[in-house]
Amino acid sequence: MAVDYSVIVLYLAGMLAMGWWGMRRARSKSEFLVAGRRLGPWMYSGTMAAIVLGGASTIGGVGLGYKYGLSGAWMVFAIGLGLLALSVLFSARIARLKVYTVSEMLDLRYGGRAGVISGVVMWAYTLMLAVTSTIAYATIFDVLFDLPRTVAIVLGGAIVVAYSTLGGMWSITLTDMVQFVVKTIGVLILLLPIAVVKAGGFAEMKAQLPTEYFAPLGIGGETIFTYVLIYTFGMLIGQDIWQRVFTARTDKVARWGGTVAGTYCLLYALAGAVIGTAAKVLYPNLPSADDAFATIVKDELPMGVRGLVLAAALAAVMSTSSGALIACATVANNDIWSRLRGVGPAQGEDHDEVKGNRLFILVMGVAVIAIAIALNDVVQALTVAYNLLVGGLLVPILGGLLWRRGTVQGALAAVAVGGLSVIGLMWSYGILANEPVYYGLLASLAAYVIVSLATRPTDAAVLAHWRARLAGQEPDAAEHTEPEPVPAPVTG
């Protein structure tokens, strides 16, 4: 394992080095939080694919393939569909708004007063997303170094917190590009063909496994519908995803770069399911489906290649963890703490705000590591996070983008009714039940439409300002206050 260890150690050292480099570049709020809004198509596509394809997509995707066959691709496939929908339908308008958070968008659209409550919901979602990603380090470092769970979480989490705190979005962008390349080589180019060959090829796999393993809908129609509802729609509104859209140099980069990333996700989904199916042939009696990835890597790959593929799994976890962490810290600082202090999101000097945002990443990072150590049930935590996100925020966000008659009162009612309905229904039906997000979403939609129609329309001046921002005609004032000259675009 010496060669494999060397590959992993070099990879981790490289992540820290890029954090140090990013610290020298991130000198303003815009640079620190959204990479100066200067990413070209290549870097934008790579980093967007990296943030959405995390440990659940890699380790969990292979596990679903082990359990259900090719239809196990549907979870990651739903993520890819969501990214495609976001990129084609909404990303250009989102990028032109020149904001930093989803809550700022809601304030622009509805004329204020929607930011704090939506910020709290978004903060809870991004916090749990960061926690569940951090817990995944325990699995990977256990395979690599046979470390205790707590030590593994602290080690992996500390590296992510370090490079994220140092350079913000620039460090995360650079590390995500490396992680994207490592995942592509490790999973798609190396592990996928090796797993199929070791299993005897597709003909042997079909001979060894039941027919339903190769049925496109074998996982079940209700499960597929739930994946689409939670993950596809979750991609449309998550702060961690929107914050990457804000990094695009132009609205065209956001649209086409995101489309490329979404297509890549569809290929990654199929690859994970095929690898899991091959693992079922090789190891039919594993105690847990989630052990399929680690088992096939440990037993079937040659040294060096094994280290690279494990680095790919580590890359998948780190990209999601770092993206969720900076999103969590951005929401906590800009949407909650600043508003509670009575400071608007665009006020203050950018140079001073870098220190504040860096401190929030550090504090949130320590909190994420502590919660990850204490938490046992990852699936329940992630389910609660996604149910609150979709049930509470989907309707007011999409309603604001698509329906002119929506009002701030309707938005607040949708967040409150949807969020409380989801919580109450999870208490009644169980956290892992499908009904809470179904009925919570319907309750949120009803509250939004009824209250919006029952209250005065949004002020014409607010809507005019909103339309101007959507058209890119009125950039955020803070974007003009940065004292340093704008460097050449990063084209990737």
Side-chain angles (χ1 to χ4, degrees):
M1 292 288 288
V3 176
D4 298 323
Y5 290 160
S6 299
V7 172
I8 299 297
V9 170
L10 286 173
Y11 169 77
L12 295 176
M15 296 299 99
L16 292 175
M18 289 181 185
W20 182 261
W21 186 91
M23 182 180 67
R24 300 175 60 188
R25 183 158 191 162
R27 298 178 180 178
S28 69
K29 178 181 179 181
S30 177
E31 296 283 351
F32 191 81
L33 293 182
V34 291
R37 308 187 196 274
R38 293 204 308 273
L39 297 192
W42 167 240
M43 292 193 75
Y44 179 87
S45 298
T47 57
M48 182 61 86
I51 178 66
V52 300
L53 295 174
S57 300
T58 303
I59 299 171
V62 172
L64 287 172
Y66 182 89
K67 189 173 182 180
Y68 297 105
L70 298 186
S71 66
W74 270 105
M75 183 187 76
V76 183
F77 202 81
I79 292 173
L81 291 177
L83 186 52
L84 285 171
L86 174 69
S87 301
V88 173
L89 300 176
F90 302 111
S91 64
R93 284 184 282 176
I94 293 170
R96 288 195 293 263
L97 288 174
K98 302 295 184 184
V99 295
Y100 292 102
T101 68
V102 174
S103 295
E104 287 183 42
M105 167 263 169
L106 291 173
D107 277 352
L108 277 174
R109 167 60 182 82
Y110 296 112
R113 294 184 292 165
V116 173
I117 184 171
S118 62
V120 170
V121 175
M122 189 65 75
W123 173 79
Y125 157 72
T126 53
L127 179 70
M128 284 298 101
L129 185 61
V131 166
T132 54
S133 300
T134 302
I135 290 174
Y137 297 131
T139 301
I140 298 172
F141 280 107
D142 177 61
V143 174
L144 290 173
F145 307 117
D146 194 26
L147 293 175
R149 179 179 183 273
T150 299
V151 175
I153 290 173
V154 171
L155 176 60
I159 292 172
V160 170
V161 171
Y163 72 69
S164 301
T165 302
L166 287 172
M169 187 59 80
W170 267 123
S171 295
I172 293 171
T173 296
L174 293 171
T175 54
D176 276 359
M177 278 305 300
V178 174
Q179 290 157 358
F180 170 73
V181 172
V182 170
K183 280 192 288 190
T184 301
I185 295 174
V187 175
L188 297 184
I189 297 178
L190 295 176
L191 182 57
L192 174 61
I194 291 174
V196 172
V197 170
K198 292 284 187 177
F202 284 103
E204 182 66 19
M205 290 163 62
K206 287 185 176 181
Q208 294 286 335
L209 296 173
T211 305
E212 55 265 26
Y213 262 70
F214 301 92
L217 305 180
I219 198 170
E222 184 178 356
T223 299
I224 294 171
F225 179 76
T226 302
Y227 283 157
V228 171
L229 186 63
I230 294 178
Y231 294 111
T232 300
F233 285 109
M235 289 294 105
L236 297 179
I237 59 175
Q239 170 67 26
D240 52 325
I241 311 302
W242 278 42
Q243 199 154 345
R244 297 308 173 96
V245 176
F246 300 151
T247 66
R249 187 172 73 234
T250 65
D251 54 2
K252 290 183 179 179
V253 169
R255 182 186 296 114
W256 295 111
T259 301
V260 171
T263 304
Y264 177 90
C265 291
L266 303 183
L267 297 174
Y268 200 88
L270 185 59
V274 171
I275 293 168
T277 305
K280 183 66 175 180
V281 174
L282 295 168
Y283 312 99
N285 299 310
L286 290 177
S288 170
D290 286 339
D291 293 338
F293 180 87
T295 303
I296 197 169
V297 169
K298 284 180 67 177
D299 294 350
E300 303 298 336
L301 299 185
M303 67 176 182
V305 174
R306 181 171 52 222
L308 183 59
V309 174
L310 287 172
L314 192 59
V317 175
M318 282 188 162
S319 58
T320 299
S321 180
S322 59
L325 176 59
I326 193 171
C328 177
T330 302
V331 170
N333 188 16
N334 289 266
D335 293 338
I336 301 175
W337 177 244
S338 294
R339 294 168 191 267
L340 291 176
R341 292 189 300 130
V343 179
Q347 299 177 22
E349 291 294 328
D350 276 356
H351 283 281
D352 295 332
E353 290 190 40
V354 170
K355 295 180 180 179
N357 282 292
R358 184 173 281 137
L359 177 61
F360 265 85
I361 291 179
L362 179 60
V363 171
M364 290 295 106
V366 172
V368 163
I369 293 172
I371 296 171
I373 292 172
L375 196 63
N376 290 319
D377 200 323
V378 180
V379 175
Q380 289 194 4
L382 194 59
T383 300
V384 170
Y386 268 102
N387 283 354
L388 283 174
L389 176 71
V390 174
L393 292 181
L394 179 66
V395 169
I397 291 173
L398 294 188
L401 290 169
L402 299 174
W403 191 39
R404 180 176 177 177
R405 186 60 180 81
T407 66
V408 64
Q409 293 88 352
L412 291 172
V415 175
V417 171
L420 292 174
S421 296
V422 165
I423 293 172
L425 290 167
M426 283 191 295
W427 181 271
S428 175
Y429 285 97
I431 290 177
L432 299 180
N434 294 327
E435 288 83 358
V437 70
Y438 295 167
Y439 299 144
L441 191 56
L442 289 174
S444 178
L445 177 61
Y448 182 70
V449 172
I450 293 171
V451 176
S452 291
L453 292 175
T455 53
R456 294 181 58 184
T458 304
D459 186 85
V462 172
L463 287 177
H465 180 66
W466 165 253
R467 288 194 296 270
R469 291 289 287 270
L470 279 178
Q473 297 172 358
E474 191 178 341
D476 192 275
E479 300 291 308
H480 295 289
T481 61
E482 298 178 12
E484 60 180 353
V486 177
V490 178
T491 61

